[in-house]
Amino acid sequence: MNNSILNTGIEQFITVGIEPLSIEDVVRVAHGYCQVSLPQQQTWRDFIQKGADFLDELLEQEGVIYGVTTGYGDSCLVEVPAHQVNELPLHLSRFHGCGLGKNLELVTARAVVVTRLCSLARGYSGVSLALLERLVWLLNQNVIPVIPSEGSVGASGDLTPLSYIAGVLVGEREVYYQGQIVPVQQVYTAKGIEPLILRPKEGLALMNGTAVMTAMACLNYKRAEQVAHAATLITALNVFALDGNPTHFDEVLFAQKPHAGQQKVAAQLRDWLESEVQTAHQSPRLQDRYSLRCAPHIIGVFEDSKVWLRQFIENELNSSNDNPLIDPINLRVLHGGHFYGGHIAQAMDSLKIMIANIADLLDRQLAQLVDHKMNHGLPRNLTGATADRLPLNHGFKAVQIGVSAWTAEALKQTLSASIFSRSTECHNQDKVSMGTIAARDAERVIVLTEQVVAALCCASVQAIHLKGLKQQLSPVLRAFMDWTLHSFALVVEDRPLQTELQQIMDRFANFELSNTDWMLQQEQAYAS
């Protein structure tokens, strides 16, 4: 299913197991916009059962299966006696219960569960239908494992964080439930549910994969899209407010540098500035500063990268990425390294650079808006105070300092995580991806950039108001101003702006900007 979270018609269920999932599917499930089901086709159910049956046959034949009849990792030469095989998955989940750091938020944890379900439901992991059904139950009942964010090196997959899903399935650890964090056994008891007894290999199948980094990548991608939308809208307002030169976005000019995403951003700026182009006098400057003139070139890097970013993320999402894989068709056990998160690491290391550059772009635009030496007639610091109150009021002075702080921190976070591979686990995992750390870094950069965006929403709207230009704006820019003014009151006398900035941040977190009718229409127009 490829329906976007931005679509108005959202199905009640997403079926996981046959058709590939999209980034938008994961985001919809993560935010609770739909429930999850497994395929009803008997052919799919038989395929799942065939893998589990094949494992049973191998065990009866006393076959050597990594992680089933042997220890894990460097302990793969340690044979597990037949009478202890069923205890091995429980031990795997327990000794990996050493995660630390901030817990993943509920939305992110939901994304992790559906991402792991997607991989296991492909049928090459040897798990039972009962395990898949329990993961569906967790999502639909909103009984979601509490997962610490730190402890994965991103090869042997996300072992430690994913152990918290395995632990919940067997009745251990804690869950988010009805707005609280509670022991999962308490929920099972209240609902009359028995914990699962994991079959051989099911602990390994749950934990030995890339679900945490991939889930975070899906969420990061959609949030980055919204950042790019907002940055383009803000740039259009600031070209207007700073008496900028809209001919910098000329169609013939951009035809000479044929990056499609860059051209899209320039086309949006042309369209949204159309009323100014028709009515404004010749700009007093031949060339604006780079933070206006080069905005398509900066935002366009992300727009052009969306193709390969989506490909990397969705290929990983729809992969079987544990080890070993179980081939239900040819009845083989396949040992490999699909738990290695290199593609997600590359995607997230690259994404955070692109988004931090957008933060830097907007920081430079705000520096122009507040500086009376370069803001072309706007008041110092964008204050709206009356003349007799000007000595007391400082408008957006502190907001600009905050934006610089958030931008600096975002830029600081852009060092690639993937280059910091460490040899672990007795040198069995001697080259690792650091994909989960890259995804966490990218999330932090996006949050910081969203803070910059929230500040620029307010400052740009304030600037347009101070120049009395709202009625000259195109319908899209007027709608964006109104969207901002829903949470922000124009600044006349100084006041704390924290609450208003946070409200805009919260609306971003719910994809409210992307889901407005006027934004949907614009995206559909450019998509066609």
Side-chain angles (χ1 to χ4, degrees):
M1 298 175 62
N2 292 309
N3 294 11
S4 167
I5 193 172
L6 306 180
N7 287 350
T8 53
I10 298 175
E11 289 101 350
Q12 185 178 0
F13 282 92
I14 286 177
T15 301
V16 181
I18 296 179
E19 296 298 323
L21 296 189
S22 68
I23 289 170
E24 288 76 16
D25 291 331
V26 172
V27 173
R28 288 213 306 280
V29 174
H31 282 269
Y33 298 157
C34 61
Q35 292 193 310
V36 172
S37 64
L38 295 173
Q40 295 302 309
Q41 291 93 323
Q42 192 60 44
T43 52
W44 175 83
R45 291 171 178 259
D46 290 344
F47 191 71
I48 295 295
Q49 189 62 46
K50 192 173 182 181
D53 290 345
F54 174 50
L55 272 178
D56 288 343
E57 292 172 12
L58 287 177
L59 284 172
E60 289 177 6
Q61 299 166 9
E62 296 186 0
V64 177
I65 310 169
Y66 168 73
V68 179
T69 61
T70 75
Y72 301 108
D74 180 63
S75 303
C76 65
L77 298 179
V78 177
E79 293 187 16
V80 177
H83 68 281
Q84 294 179 342
V85 163
N86 289 320
E87 292 185 68
L88 192 59
L90 186 59
H91 276 260
L92 179 67
S93 70
R94 284 176 172 169
F95 80 76
H96 271 288
C98 57
L100 291 175
K102 182 180 178 182
N103 293 329
L104 299 181
E105 294 181 353
L106 173 61
V107 167
T108 307
R110 285 182 59 85
V112 171
V113 176
V114 72
T115 299
R116 198 75 208 117
L117 173 65
C118 181
S119 179
L120 299 180
R122 298 186 75 252
Y124 284 84
S125 299
V127 302
S128 64
L129 183 61
L131 183 145
L132 301 178
E133 289 174 337
R134 182 58 60 89
L135 291 175
V136 169
W137 183 87
L138 291 177
L139 286 165
N140 291 345
Q141 295 294 317
N142 206 24
V143 180
I144 304 301
V146 176
I147 304 173
S149 61
E150 298 173 8
S152 172
V153 294
S156 249
D158 291 314
L159 287 168
T160 289
L162 289 177
S163 77
Y164 288 78
I165 297 180
V168 162
L169 293 179
V170 300
E172 301 177 357
R173 314 285 174 89
E174 294 179 317
V175 291
Y176 293 109
Y177 183 62
Q178 295 183 344
Q180 296 181 325
I181 293 177
V182 299
V184 68
Q185 187 57 55
Q186 178 180 316
V187 179
Y188 283 164
T189 300
K191 291 182 174 290
I193 298 290
E194 290 295 324
L196 281 183
I197 297 175
L198 294 179
R199 289 168 41 85
K201 191 186 177 293
E202 287 190 334
L204 187 61
L206 282 162
M207 295 165 52
N208 190 208
T210 60
V212 176
M213 67 181 82
T214 304
M216 295 182 73
C218 290
L219 297 171
N220 288 344
Y221 178 95
K222 292 306 294 182
R223 291 172 72 176
E225 272 196 330
Q226 185 166 245
V227 165
H229 289 322
T232 309
L233 289 161
I234 288 166
T235 296
L237 288 181
N238 290 339
V239 170
F240 215 112
L242 292 165
D243 295 336
N245 188 341
T247 64
H248 290 323
F249 315 119
D250 182 86
E251 184 173 9
V252 174
L253 175 66
F254 274 86
Q256 310 318 309
K257 193 168 186 179
H259 297 297
Q262 178 178 280
Q263 289 175 330
K264 173 188 171 182
V265 175
Q268 288 175 322
L269 290 170
R270 281 197 305 275
D271 289 350
W272 298 341
L273 292 166
E274 182 177 5
S275 60
E276 184 189 11
V277 173
Q278 292 173 348
T279 62
H281 299 295
Q282 178 66 36
S283 171
R285 296 180 308 285
L286 286 178
Q287 297 189 150
D288 290 326
R289 291 179 175 84
Y290 287 8
S291 59
L292 294 181
R293 193 191 341 161
C294 298
H297 308 77
I298 296 164
I299 303 170
V301 173
F302 168 71
E303 288 292 341
D304 276 303
S305 297
K306 284 165 61 175
V307 176
W308 72 264
L309 288 169
R310 179 179 288 276
Q311 181 188 51
F312 275 25
I313 296 167
E314 290 186 344
N315 282 350
E316 192 73 34
L317 170 64
N318 294 290
S319 69
S320 298
N321 46 60
D322 55 300
N323 175 59
L325 295 183
I326 305 302
D327 179 358
I329 299 173
N330 301 299
L331 301 182
R332 295 189 300 160
V333 179
L334 305 171
H335 294 87
H338 286 355
F339 47 67
Y340 194 91
H343 282 74
I344 296 298
Q346 180 64 45
M348 293 298 97
D349 276 345
S350 299
L351 179 70
K352 66 191 183 188
I353 293 172
M354 301 172 202
I355 299 306
N357 266 309
I358 292 176
D360 200 23
L361 171 78
L362 297 181
D363 174 54
R364 295 299 83 212
Q365 289 183 13
L366 182 56
Q368 289 192 61
L369 288 173
V370 299
D371 189 340
H372 72 284
K373 298 185 296 297
M374 61 176 71
N375 66 14
H376 301 280
L378 286 164
R380 290 175 183 266
N381 300 306
L382 296 179
T383 179
T386 57
D388 62 317
R389 302 288 293 176
L390 279 177
L392 288 175
N393 282 278
H394 293 79
F396 281 75
K397 179 185 283 288
V399 171
Q400 194 271 327
I401 296 171
V403 165
S404 285
W406 304 326
T407 299
E409 186 174 346
L411 295 169
K412 177 177 173 289
Q413 294 282 340
T414 57
L415 184 62
S416 293
S418 58
I419 64 174
F420 286 96
S421 174
R422 313 298 301 152
S423 184
T424 67
E425 209 260 313
C426 300
H427 301 296
N428 176 53
Q429 302 174 19
D430 60 346
K431 173 62 178 166
V432 295
S433 77
M434 297 296 182
T436 310
I437 296 174
R440 283 177 27 231
D441 285 350
E443 180 186 29
R444 179 61 181 156
V445 168
I446 290 169
V447 168
L448 290 161
T449 304
E450 287 172 340
Q451 292 173 189
V452 172
V453 167
L456 266 291
C457 285
C458 300
S460 303
V461 165
Q462 176 90 355
I464 293 293
H465 169 75
L466 291 171
K467 283 198 171 180
L469 297 174
K470 183 176 181 181
Q471 296 311 309
Q472 298 179 40
L473 297 178
S474 61
V476 168
L477 295 184
R478 286 201 301 273
F480 179 55
M481 280 193 68
D482 291 339
W483 184 90
T484 300
L485 289 167
H486 182 75
S487 297
F488 166 68
L490 296 164
V491 176
V492 179
E493 288 284 312
D494 290 344
R495 67 173 189 276
L497 292 176
Q498 177 185 355
T499 300
E500 290 157 275
L501 294 173
Q502 187 60 56
Q503 286 177 356
I504 294 174
M505 288 282 294
D506 293 343
R507 293 166 70 198
F508 271 122
N510 291 319
F511 294 99
E512 185 183 314
L513 176 63
S514 297
N515 203 35
T516 55
D517 290 340
W518 49 276
M519 279 301 299
L520 282 169
Q521 292 167 3
Q522 288 294 311
E523 281 306 296
Q524 290 166 359
Y526 287 106
S528 62

